[in-house]
Amino acid sequence: MREFQYVIKDAEGIHARPAGELIKLAKTFSSNISMCKDGTSVSCKKILAVMGLGVKQGQEITITMEGEDEDAAYEAISRFLEENL
């Protein structure tokens, strides 16, 4: 299992466009990938769940990956967050 924390820098928080791209990226991996904020954990493969967290600028999220391609998922998703959110 791989896990990391990330503080959202985008002024709009996690909004529709980057959320959709994140879901599309997460679905390319067989590992279970989840996002957690304030004790609520959701699948990164479901856009309504991710949008439902209502993550704003300055808030910290935890991303967890578990599965056979978790290392590749870790690299790709951490890079995506740095570049987009």
Side-chain angles (χ1 to χ4, degrees), residues 9-52:
K9 298 174 184 79
D10 189 295
E12 297 180 38
I14 297 181
H15 51 98
R17 185 196 50 79
E21 292 177 15
L22 175 62
I23 276 58
K24 190 185 306 181
L25 176 61
K27 286 182 175 182
T28 66
F29 299 99
S30 63
S31 293
N32 290 324
I33 304 170
S34 61
M35 178 185 296
C36 182
K37 183 192 124 212
D38 298 334
T40 301
S41 184
V42 299
S43 171
C44 280
K45 297 181 181 182
K46 298 182 179 186
I47 192 159
L48 292 178
V50 170
M51 294 297 294

